[in-house]
Amino acid sequence: MRIVRESPTSPYVRFKAGSLELAHHHTFGHDLVVIKGKKKVWNLTKKESYDLVDGDFLFTPAGDVHRVKYFEDTEFFIRWDGHWDIFLDEDIETARSAIDAELGAASN
């Protein structure tokens, strides 16, 4: 993550293909725009999921628990108000199992 602006905080972020973000939440909402790549975001609070690719935008409200899987090397710009924080809501095995179950079910 490279911070490109503070207040509001605005980093440019890169994740490698296959990376996971465990279910987590923040005390701030955040906007993101995918520059390149492919990822899926599960908003567990809203029971919704989003497949994001180049140019897609997503807003996640403060407190919403969300999990992410990166299918390709992915770069995105994200912006939030306040200081960065993260509160983890699961462990890596729980995340992997949930993602594998959903993606496996989707391909059947």
Side-chain angles (χ1 to χ4, degrees), residues 2-73:
R2 181 179 52 141
I3 303 291
V4 295
R5 180 174 183 225
E6 292 190 32
S7 191
T9 304
S10 305
Y12 191 88
V13 182
R14 292 183 181 119
F15 278 90
K16 294 283 188 191
S19 296
L20 302 177
E21 290 184 59
L22 308 178
H24 64 280
H25 65 280
H26 310 277
T27 59
F28 52 81
H30 55 288
D31 305 285
L32 73 81
V33 176
V34 176
I35 305 302
K36 70 175 191 172
K38 182 177 178 183
K39 67 191 238 175
K40 184 174 189 97
V41 178
W42 289 268
N43 184 316
L44 304 176
T45 300
K46 290 186 166 70
K47 297 180 175 48
E48 297 175 350
S49 64
Y50 316 96
D51 294 308
L52 303 176
V53 296
D54 305 9
D56 285 344
F57 168 84
L58 179 66
F59 173 71
T60 302
D64 277 15
V65 176
H66 51 290
R67 170 191 302 132
V68 185
K69 165 87 175 178
Y70 295 88
F71 297 100
E72 298 175 358
D73 290 354

